[in-house]
Amino acid sequence: MMTAEVAQAWQALGLEVSDPGVAYHGVGDIGPRLLGLSERRIADMDAAGIDVQVLSLTTPALHDLGPDSVDMARRVNDAMAAAIMRYPDRFEAMATLPMACPEAAIQELERCIVELGFSGAMLCGRAGARNLDHPDFAPVFDLAGRRRIPMLLHPRVAPDGVRNAWFHGLGDRVEMALSGFAIGWHLDAGVQFLRLLLSGLFDRNPDLPIILGHWGELVLYYVDRLQILDRVSGLQQPLEAYLRRNLYLGASGMLSHEHMRRALGIVGPERLLFSTDYPYQAVSREVICTFLDGSGLPDEQRGRFAAGNWDLLTSQIIRS
């Protein structure tokens, strides 16, 4: 979702030109669907056979907005809380945090979990020039670890230096897509996760659940190679142990049995989370049912993938 206030703030930064995620809001009716938190969204859910949707502020969230993001985050979260109050059986929410101001982010995360009953928080990669493993953000993750709050790492556009070095010169439209939702996004989210892991985050916070969408943001496809890091990381556990203990994977509308088989082998069936990436992916009820029916999962595992794993994960949040 998004709000008109956030859209205006992105526009003031020129992100509708420079950020493929924001630019994509002008395609078709994606923008209006992001703004809507009532009847139309519920109708779309019903048409797809979705009982419960977990709301979150879309990328790039408020990570580039500085001190102005503090009050804005509160208003975004209050808007999602109001939608939950209107449709308590249909919506949950992931908190939006003013990561540019870590102390305020801690306070807002606490409020969203304890007072608003949210189901976690969503982060969108770097906050300004700081990667998520920067020491300034450690207290945010420490709070999430103590309370077992799920933290979803959403992709965002690659940094300018990477974008210019890797994607420039292919034409504006191709550069925009390649640096964003084609691969740049997923490289960025995967690197953010690996940086957090290698910083020792999960040694300090063994109960912290991290969610990656798109079946692991490319990390899963190089696990065999990434395990070489065990030789130099100095961490308490091998890479494989953290993936099975701290990582959850969302489908994000990529309904691929091949992706699922890879994920099952690495994190196990209890850590897979069904998701459709609304409104960016238009997935029909027929496609969803065909995917689930053809997954090869036993009935119990299929039910856990569709809803049960999420319900169990969020039930473990410490709210008092």
Side-chain angles (χ1 to χ4, degrees):
M1 55 80 72
M2 68 178 179
T3 67
E5 178 188 25
V6 171
Q8 291 169 3
W10 289 336
Q11 186 176 17
L13 291 176
L15 296 182
E16 80 282 4
V17 175
S18 63
D19 189 305
V22 179
Y24 200 58
H25 301 165
V27 175
D29 60 356
I30 288 176
R33 288 179 188 270
L34 285 167
L35 289 168
L37 292 177
S38 56
E39 287 80 4
R40 180 176 183 178
R41 186 176 289 252
I42 296 293
D44 289 344
M45 291 166 62
D46 290 341
I50 300 297
D51 298 314
V52 177
Q53 197 178 83
V54 185
L55 302 171
S56 57
L57 178 62
T58 192
T59 188
L62 307 180
H63 288 219
D64 293 332
L65 297 181
D68 289 343
S69 66
V70 175
D71 290 338
M72 199 177 299
R74 190 178 186 93
R75 289 190 288 271
V76 169
N77 291 324
D78 286 346
M80 290 191 287
I84 293 172
M85 289 187 66
R86 291 195 300 271
Y87 303 97
D89 297 328
R90 307 304 302 272
F91 291 144
E92 298 180 23
M94 303 287 276
T96 297
L97 303 181
M99 290 298 285
C101 305
E103 291 186 4
I106 293 170
Q107 295 176 4
E108 186 61 9
L109 179 58
E110 186 95 14
R111 183 180 81 96
C112 287
I113 296 301
V114 175
E115 298 180 21
L116 302 183
F118 281 12
S119 299
M122 192 176 89
L123 306 178
C124 292
R126 309 171 314 281
R130 291 174 290 181
N131 291 303
L132 290 179
D133 63 300
H134 192 283
D136 288 351
F137 304 133
V140 179
F141 287 103
D142 290 344
L143 171 62
R146 290 194 303 273
R147 289 193 174 275
R148 299 182 180 180
I149 301 169
M151 304 288 279
L152 190 154
L153 307 185
H154 193 282
R156 64 171 301 176
V157 67
D160 288 344
V162 173
R163 185 170 174 174
N164 291 334
W166 287 3
F167 306 120
H168 183 67
L170 297 170
D172 291 346
R173 293 186 66 186
V174 173
E175 177 186 334
M176 184 76 78
L178 198 60
S179 64
F181 43 79
I183 195 168
W185 263 9
H186 312 295
L187 288 168
D188 185 79
V191 167
Q192 292 298 319
F193 171 76
L194 290 172
R195 290 188 66 102
L196 287 170
L197 188 155
L198 293 168
S199 75
L201 175 66
F202 300 129
D203 288 338
R204 299 189 302 273
N205 295 284
D207 295 325
L208 173 62
I210 294 287
I211 303 171
L212 289 178
H214 309 97
W215 297 111
E217 306 295 4
L218 301 178
V219 170
L220 262 63
Y221 299 97
Y222 282 87
V223 165
D224 296 343
R225 190 74 167 173
L226 288 168
Q227 286 175 333
I228 297 172
L229 290 167
D230 292 341
R231 304 174 187 174
V232 296
S233 69
L235 298 176
Q236 296 174 7
Q237 303 290 331
L239 174 72
E240 180 183 17
Y242 299 109
L243 298 182
R244 285 193 167 269
R245 189 187 72 190
N246 297 95
L247 182 60
Y248 289 78
L249 301 175
S252 302
M254 297 172 60
L255 305 186
S256 162
H257 293 142
E258 179 181 356
H259 286 27
M260 174 180 277
R261 285 191 292 270
R262 179 72 169 164
L264 280 168
I266 293 173
V267 303
E270 69 280 357
R271 293 180 175 272
L272 303 186
L273 307 170
F274 180 80
S275 57
T276 64
D277 204 17
Y278 178 94
Y280 299 105
Q281 300 284 344
V283 185
S284 69
R285 179 193 296 258
E286 180 181 5
V287 169
I288 292 171
C289 291
T290 299
F291 171 70
L292 291 174
D293 291 343
S295 66
L297 294 174
D299 288 347
E300 179 186 2
Q301 289 186 11
R302 185 169 55 188
R304 292 184 64 177
F305 172 52
N309 287 340
W310 174 255
D311 290 340
L312 179 60
L313 173 61
T314 56
S315 73
Q316 296 170 350
I317 299 172
I318 298 172
R319 301 184 184 275
S320 58

